[in-house]
Amino acid sequence: MPQEPNPILDPYFRIPFDRIHASHVAPGVRELLAEARDEVERLAADPSPPSWQSVVAPLDRIMDRVERGTVPVRHLLAVAESPELREAWGEVLPEVTRFWSSLHLHEGLWSRVKAFAATEEARTLRGLTARHLQKTLRDFQRSGADLGPGERERLEELDVELARLEQSFSENVLDATAAYSLLVTDEEKLAGIPADARERFRKRATNMEQDGWQITLDQPAFEAVVTYAEDRGLREELHGAYYSRCAGDSWDNRPLIPRILRLRRERALLLGYADFPDFRLEEHMVGTGARARDFIAEVANRTRPYWRRDLKELEAYAEQTGIRPMEPWDVAFLVERLRQERYDLNEEELRPYFPLDQALSGLFEITRRLFGLKVAELAIEEVWHPDVRYYELRDARGELLGGFYTDFFPRPEKRQGAWMHDFIHGEPLEGGGCSPHLGVICANFPPPTEERPALLTHRDVQTLFHEFGHLLHHLTSRVPISRRGGIHVAWDFVELPSQLLENWTWEREPLDLFARHWETGESLPEALFQRMHRARRFMGGWRQMRQLGFGAFDLALHTGYDEARDGDPVEWVARVLEPYSPNAGFARRNPLTFFAHIFSGGYAAAYYSYLWSETLEADLFTRFLERGVFDAPTGTAYLDTILSAGDSEEPDVLFRSFMGRDPNPEALIERNLGDAA
């Protein structure tokens, strides 16, 4: 009887997630890597004259195949992790890392690429192919291809060790989050917390055969408590648990942080850079660590007057309400109360108007009107959890652009936050464009109950649109070279499409498509919409300074921290954060030990990029405001010049091709902060 093929190596478009088990990981990945290594050796030893088709194209195919074969495992680790799956991936992770590291250190392969770059064919390349060759050469150089044998060996060791440490950091965050629960037996302690959250707490306790309300550290639970709980002690307890994750006990990330930083620094120095930010940011729009720090400092100076105004208002309100002194666990509660008083706006008042399914339908209709793209749901079986849904995206002619999954509710085996992941970049077609792409968007929204559907806050709606913006960037790619298409752009440009789409959650016309009360069908009342809009900039200085603080300590850690001199990184970061915080106590409540973005999520020395991209998209959206948020020609121009263009040109060129000018940074200040403080 023939053996069933390993589902990790399944060649079909839809990945068979339902058939992938931990036992498939090691044999599947090793088979994949063995084939790839053989192909690399054949490519390096090919005696034929070097050409695009004999060097660059096959190299791209090798890399694409390894990416496609490992992406199902990496995805399942984020949404359906188990001890068995973790162990299986941990077993092969050094081999996967070593493959990627050694690929660009292979002397024969590097010689072959350089030989092609010196040909007449290479010199006559223009546009996308010329850019891709230049980027490929840079990838080899930045990976150490020009180093001596001993240095190349050390670089490979660093890559393997960093991959292991970053994976351990991520696992610790997942485990520490899942391990915590607080059983509340006195209902009075839950005063102020919305009914749907209390219902979820009650249901969880019942499922655990406990009497009371069980509170966890998943995002919906944490936000419900720190934002609405009138019991200050409960807020303090949950806030403390949340911000002390991975700072001790069984999942302590404190020893990992200095080691990760030290290895990143050594890697950068080995490659000839002054520090890790200079290495990391060389291929970004910002260019250098110094420019990134200057950007943070400049925006912080512009933001500080607004932040001081917001801080003064919060402290006065805390004094007025008898909360003395104001502590970190009081801020979300005070902000929500003050907003209610000043604007007669309660975030929970908006929630009934944003059922998840309606928000999705509205998002898809906005996509149709703006870009001429149509979304349709398909019932499929190849999913990793019953909550998962699958859709197809087609253009106005009915051509399939891609498919995508959604996974929106929290689970203990699923990581926190929201994200988009690109699974497959379609292959080039003879007539231009690409075969279908495949991706996923994930979040941790409050799930439905027996009595009501999943109801989102307006912030949740923004998150949904944000991740879908990333997804559109991937699925609409018309770039036939995968590493130049979709989200494979400069990291400080990648957030532009996602942040831009959030703007449609603030405009009346788009909201009318989906913001309707889940019980009555009533559209979002105009008075409520106006109150929501008036409150948009509320505490904008506070929010923006918080983001700036994270960007500042990310860069500072990767530039100025020295374990032998500076000791505990948590205390060191607290000192860095003090200029961005009300006091030292606030600075000490920081996310360093569970900050997966910079230690395992790809934003190392690049957290500033959220605000950098936001500066660009705030300006870009002004064109939509001038011509109409559903102006189809403007939507088509954006789709053609930026969204589907990937990394086919430099980001500033793409921006100018749409706007006709350089960015105006004042748009961000005006939208987020308003008039001078």
Side-chain angles (χ1 to χ4, degrees):
M1 187 173 186
Q3 186 177 6
E4 182 183 355
N6 191 311
I8 289 176
L9 306 177
D10 193 310
Y12 295 105
F13 178 68
R14 288 207 300 265
I15 299 170
F17 286 109
D18 60 323
R19 294 192 286 113
I20 296 175
H21 304 295
S23 60
H24 296 124
V25 173
V29 170
R30 284 179 174 139
E31 180 180 342
L32 179 74
L33 294 179
E35 291 176 356
R37 284 192 290 265
D38 287 345
E39 290 182 27
V40 168
E41 294 303 326
R42 285 195 294 271
L43 177 58
D46 185 355
S48 66
S51 67
W52 181 277
Q53 291 302 325
S54 68
V55 177
V56 180
L59 175 60
D60 286 347
R61 285 195 295 271
I62 292 169
M63 292 191 287
D64 287 347
R65 196 173 305 125
V66 174
E67 282 282 4
R68 177 167 176 163
T70 54
V71 78
V73 185
R74 290 185 282 115
H75 170 67
L76 289 174
L77 285 165
V79 295
E81 189 180 66
S82 66
E84 296 78 15
L85 187 65
R86 177 186 293 185
E87 182 180 355
W89 179 245
E91 181 182 338
V92 295
L93 178 59
E95 298 168 46
V96 174
T97 307
R98 195 169 285 112
F99 168 81
W100 286 113
S101 183
S102 63
L103 183 72
H104 290 104
L105 296 174
H106 193 294
E107 291 187 63
L109 190 58
W110 179 221
S111 296
R112 189 86 173 139
V113 172
K114 287 190 293 185
F116 169 65
T119 64
E120 182 62 25
E121 179 189 352
R123 285 193 291 271
T124 59
L125 293 177
R126 296 292 182 269
L128 176 64
T129 51
R131 178 172 176 79
H132 182 55
L133 176 58
Q134 182 266 333
K135 290 278 189 177
T136 300
L137 291 166
R138 292 292 299 132
D139 286 344
F140 274 89
Q141 291 162 344
R142 284 171 51 80
S143 298
D146 288 329
L147 296 178
E151 293 169 316
R152 288 201 300 271
E153 183 179 345
R154 178 56 183 158
L155 200 62
E156 190 173 323
E157 292 172 355
L158 290 171
D159 288 343
V160 171
E161 178 67 3
L162 275 168
R164 185 186 67 80
L165 291 172
E166 289 167 1
Q167 182 67 21
S168 295
F169 188 100
S170 178
E171 291 171 357
N172 284 344
V173 175
L174 182 71
D175 289 347
T177 303
Y180 178 87
S181 66
L182 174 66
L183 182 65
V184 175
T185 56
D186 181 1
E187 189 170 7
E188 289 186 6
K189 289 180 70 67
L190 304 178
I193 296 176
D196 68 322
R198 294 200 307 271
E199 187 178 336
R200 292 197 307 273
F201 301 162
R202 179 67 141 176
K203 183 176 181 180
R204 181 174 175 83
T206 300
N207 291 342
M208 300 295 291
E209 298 182 348
Q210 295 174 325
D211 186 20
W213 297 261
Q214 192 176 79
I215 304 174
T216 61
L217 290 182
D218 66 63
Q219 206 65 35
F222 174 74
E223 289 184 355
V225 172
V226 298
T227 306
Y228 297 104
E230 295 171 7
D231 188 308
R232 194 183 187 196
L234 180 61
R235 296 200 308 270
E236 180 181 2
E237 184 165 356
L238 204 67
H239 193 278
Y242 190 86
Y243 279 90
S244 63
R245 285 178 297 166
C246 305
D249 299 326
S250 303
W251 309 285
D252 193 355
N253 275 336
R254 289 177 303 173
L256 302 185
I257 291 169
R259 290 162 63 190
I260 291 172
L261 294 171
R262 185 170 64 251
L263 295 179
R264 286 174 177 170
R265 184 176 297 117
E266 181 183 349
R267 194 180 191 282
L269 293 173
L270 195 59
L271 291 166
Y273 295 85
D275 51 35
F276 180 76
D278 273 2
F279 164 74
R280 175 69 202 277
L281 304 181
E282 182 181 41
E283 298 291 292
H284 290 44
M285 292 183 74
V286 75
T288 66
R291 280 197 67 200
R293 290 189 292 274
D294 288 346
F295 170 74
I296 290 288
E298 179 183 348
V299 180
N301 286 337
R302 295 292 305 276
T303 306
R304 197 167 299 279
Y306 302 91
W307 175 70
R308 286 177 177 146
R309 175 198 62 192
D310 292 348
L311 176 57
K312 185 177 179 181
E313 290 183 6
L314 271 181
E315 289 177 333
Y317 187 68
E319 181 75 19
Q320 175 189 327
T321 53
I323 296 178
R324 306 187 189 93
M326 184 179 74
E327 299 287 359
W329 49 89
D330 299 318
V331 170
F333 178 78
L334 289 168
V335 167
E336 184 63 22
R337 284 294 180 91
L338 184 54
R339 179 169 53 186
Q340 289 180 35
E341 289 190 11
R342 180 165 300 172
Y343 300 100
D344 190 24
L345 181 70
N346 182 337
E347 184 77 47
E348 289 300 306
E349 189 180 0
L350 292 168
R351 193 190 292 272
Y353 293 92
F354 296 125
L356 173 58
D357 284 349
Q358 279 181 200
L360 276 172
S361 297
L363 174 58
F364 298 158
E365 177 61 15
I366 290 166
T367 301
R368 185 191 70 79
R369 294 192 185 190
L370 198 55
F371 307 123
L373 307 176
K374 299 177 182 178
V375 179
E377 184 173 5
L378 272 68
I380 68 169
E381 296 179 353
E382 310 100 303
V383 295
W384 55 91
H385 190 274
D387 288 343
V388 176
R389 296 158 73 176
Y390 180 79
Y391 302 84
E392 287 185 343
L393 181 75
R394 296 180 181 270
D395 65 15
R397 297 169 299 175
E399 181 182 338
L400 179 63
L401 299 181
F404 65 96
Y405 307 83
T406 65
D407 184 353
F408 287 134
F409 306 124
R411 300 183 295 273
E413 68 276 11
K414 180 181 174 185
R415 72 177 172 91
Q416 295 281 289
W419 65 95
M420 172 266 168
H421 198 168
D422 56 327
F423 289 160
I424 296 172
H425 189 284
E427 298 179 355
L429 299 174
E430 282 189 14
C434 303
S435 61
H437 312 295
L438 186 67
V440 64
I441 51 176
C442 298
N444 282 273
F445 297 141
T449 68
E450 294 177 1
E451 290 76 24
R452 68 189 75 184
L455 300 177
L456 307 184
T457 65
H458 186 249
R459 281 175 293 178
D460 292 334
V461 177
Q462 289 175 261
T463 298
L464 173 65
F465 276 57
H466 180 106
E467 300 306 334
F468 194 73
H470 280 310
L471 187 71
L472 286 177
H473 200 188
H474 171 57
L475 296 183
T476 63
S477 175
R478 297 173 188 160
V479 183
I481 300 174
S482 64
R483 290 176 190 279
R484 303 278 73 82
I487 62 173
H488 298 282
V489 298
W491 206 258
D492 43 11
F493 192 68
V494 76
E495 295 295 337
L496 184 150
S498 55
Q499 291 171 328
L500 179 75
L501 202 59
E502 292 182 42
N503 288 286
W504 275 262
T505 71
W506 288 98
E507 300 299 318
R508 178 83 249 190
E509 195 176 354
L511 285 171
D512 282 343
L513 296 175
F514 65 93
R516 296 186 302 277
H517 198 285
W518 74 276
E519 289 180 300
T520 67
E522 174 195 17
S523 295
L524 185 70
E526 180 62 19
L528 185 53
F529 170 75
Q530 292 297 335
R531 299 202 307 270
M532 183 181 87
H533 237 277
R534 285 196 299 272
R536 182 176 186 180
R537 294 176 182 145
F538 178 61
M539 292 292 146
W542 177 277
R543 291 193 305 272
Q544 192 153 292
M545 189 61 83
R546 177 178 169 82
Q547 282 292 97
L548 287 161
F550 291 165
F553 88 63
D554 170 33
L555 287 163
L557 268 174
H558 285 97
T559 306
Y561 172 77
D562 180 87
E563 182 182 11
R565 180 192 65 215
D566 299 316
D568 182 6
V570 177
E571 288 299 319
W572 189 85
V573 161
R575 292 193 292 274
V576 173
L577 276 175
E578 284 190 30
Y580 303 86
S581 309
N583 56 50
F586 274 78
R588 280 193 291 273
R589 289 287 177 121
N590 66 71
L592 180 66
T593 57
F594 57 92
F595 205 178
H597 267 77
I598 65 173
F599 289 110
S600 59
Y603 280 84
Y607 199 80
Y608 77 92
S609 59
Y610 279 105
L611 269 174
W612 181 281
S613 294
E614 192 176 356
T615 301
L616 299 175
E617 65 82 7
D619 186 27
L620 193 149
F621 186 62
T622 61
R623 179 170 169 182
F624 286 96
L625 289 175
E626 291 166 0
R627 304 187 184 188
V629 294
F630 281 135
D631 182 64
T634 305
T636 299
Y638 170 68
L639 175 64
D640 291 342
T641 58
I642 293 180
L643 200 59
S644 65
D647 188 47
S648 56
E649 293 194 69
E650 290 295 316
D652 58 338
V653 173
L654 298 180
F655 185 93
R656 283 194 296 271
S657 68
F658 179 75
M659 292 297 288
R661 58 168 174 77
D662 290 334
N664 174 15
E666 294 303 314
L668 178 71
I669 301 297
E670 168 60 25
R671 186 186 68 188
N672 289 3
L673 305 177
D675 299 330

